[in-house]
Amino acid sequence: MSTVVDRERAGFPSSAGILLGLGLGGFFDGIVLHQVLQWHHMATSAGYPATTVANLELNTLLDGLFHATTYVFVAAGLAILWRAARRSHVRWTGRLLGGTLLMGFGLFNLVEGFIDHHLLGLHHVNETVPRDQWLWWDLGFLAWGAIMLAVGWWLWRTGRQRTAGRRAAA
């Protein structure tokens, strides 16, 4: 019985890494694509292009709410990771954290890209290029997300195997 409890306590908190990856993916999108490159804002394709002060004010507010949400993801991920790290556990391989971070980042791209870019049409990845190229940027964003999710899943799986090997050897 104590072996089962020890294994559960020793397990890597994958939810922490995924939440951290979701948050980091959102920060990357918001900081790099919204602010630094200014390729789009939250509602620039939903009838609020950043061509007037009123539209820019609305988009800035929506961008800020978006950042606040990604901040909550990071804070929750850190809280879960901290809680798990304070218990006795097997030393985790870095693949577990790296893999779950990539999985969360990739999930962010896939969910946000599908919903905001394709389903709702709120904005597109790069609205500074001609409109006929927007779809290609959006599809590239989804492909990037899928690749990160796949690589992250592979790292997580191999990391679980390596950590299980450490348990058996301990």
Side-chain angles (χ1 to χ4, degrees):
M1 173 98 171
S2 67
T3 307
V4 172
V5 172
D6 289 342
R7 280 190 202 142
E8 287 175 6
R9 287 180 29 196
F12 179 78
S14 297
S15 60
I18 290 172
L19 284 167
L20 287 166
L22 283 167
L24 292 174
F27 285 154
F28 178 87
D29 185 277
I31 293 167
V32 176
L33 302 182
H34 292 216
Q35 294 173 328
V36 175
L37 297 175
Q38 297 180 23
W39 283 359
H40 67 265
H41 295 284
M42 282 305 296
T44 48
S45 289
Y48 303 97
T51 54
T52 67
V53 172
N55 284 356
L56 193 53
E57 287 174 342
L58 174 67
N59 275 294
T60 300
L61 171 65
L62 295 175
D63 287 351
L65 294 172
F66 170 73
H67 278 115
T69 302
T70 59
Y71 190 87
V72 169
F73 288 153
V74 168
L78 283 173
I80 293 167
L81 188 60
W82 178 258
R83 185 173 175 207
R86 295 176 47 89
R87 295 182 287 213
S88 64
H89 57 82
V90 172
R91 189 168 172 228
W92 303 315
T93 175
R95 288 175 178 247
L96 292 170
L97 180 59
T100 55
L101 284 172
L102 280 174
M103 288 167 57
F105 201 129
L107 281 170
F108 169 83
N109 278 18
L110 290 171
V111 171
E112 193 271 342
F114 177 73
I115 292 173
D116 289 347
H117 305 164
H118 297 281
L119 188 63
L120 300 177
L122 295 178
H123 62 262
H124 299 276
V125 173
N126 188 352
E127 295 177 354
T128 66
V129 299
R131 187 179 280 272
D132 63 339
Q133 295 177 17
W134 289 5
L135 177 63
W136 297 109
W137 283 91
D138 292 347
L139 292 174
F141 189 79
L142 291 174
W144 178 31
I147 291 167
M148 284 193 293
L149 181 60
V151 170
W153 181 82
W154 176 78
L155 285 171
W156 175 76
R157 290 275 296 169
T158 59
R160 280 178 46 124
Q161 292 167 351
R162 288 182 181 193
T163 300
R166 289 179 183 172
R167 264 189 221 127

